[in-house]
Amino acid sequence: MVINISRESLCNGDDDQKRSSLEYQENEMLSSFLRYKVAEYLPYTRELTIWVVYMDSNEDQPVFERENPEKKVAFIHKVENRCSKVEIRGGDRFVSSFGTTDLFCALYRRSM
């Protein structure tokens, strides 16, 4: 199964891979999908970067729609090029349980 992922820019010049498609298995858990696939896709800085993950959202939607708090499912913490923590709202579950093919990642916080 495939989920289409898009993200906002981290800095000037990183727009070349703002969209991608990631494969997941039918029984794959959200925690492993976010840690090992989504986090690897996201750019990073030398310090802590936190991304917020919205399901059923994409870059083409208006901001108020794609970043609706009800669509927020997780936070991904990255320190340099590794995922240091994944926080999931409502507990871990199958990726397929969301019934969507779209996922959007917005920059939540970046340490300089």
Side-chain angles (χ1 to χ4, degrees):
M1 300 170 87
V2 174
I3 196 159
N4 301 309
I5 182 171
S6 56
R7 64 168 175 82
E8 67 181 6
S9 293
L10 182 63
C11 62
N12 290 336
D14 77 339
D15 293 341
D16 59 331
Q17 293 186 356
K18 285 181 61 173
R19 293 175 183 254
S20 186
S21 295
L22 300 175
E23 289 188 34
Y24 66 94
Q25 302 302 314
E26 185 175 342
N27 293 327
E28 188 166 357
M29 298 303 286
L30 185 61
S31 59
S32 64
F33 178 71
L34 293 175
R35 178 177 291 276
Y36 299 109
K37 294 179 182 171
V38 175
E40 196 169 299
Y41 156 78
L42 295 171
Y44 60 89
T45 62
R46 292 181 183 208
E47 301 294 328
L48 174 66
T49 306
I50 301 175
W51 294 88
V52 60
V53 178
Y54 297 93
M55 291 301 259
D56 199 24
S57 294
N58 65 60
E59 185 181 36
D60 298 329
Q61 297 172 318
V63 174
F64 72 90
E65 187 178 334
R66 78 171 174 242
E67 296 184 18
N68 181 332
E70 294 176 6
K71 295 181 176 185
K72 187 185 306 180
V73 296
F75 291 92
I76 297 175
H77 300 239
K78 287 190 77 168
V79 177
E80 296 188 347
N81 67 342
R82 67 179 177 83
C83 178
S84 62
K85 182 178 181 182
V86 172
E87 296 176 66
I88 299 174
R89 292 178 64 185
D92 203 8
R93 51 202 175 275
F94 296 123
V95 177
S96 59
S97 70
F98 290 98
T100 183
T101 58
D102 291 322
L103 180 147
F104 180 76
C105 297
L107 186 62
Y108 181 72
R109 188 180 71 177
R110 181 173 87 178
S111 299
M112 297 299 241

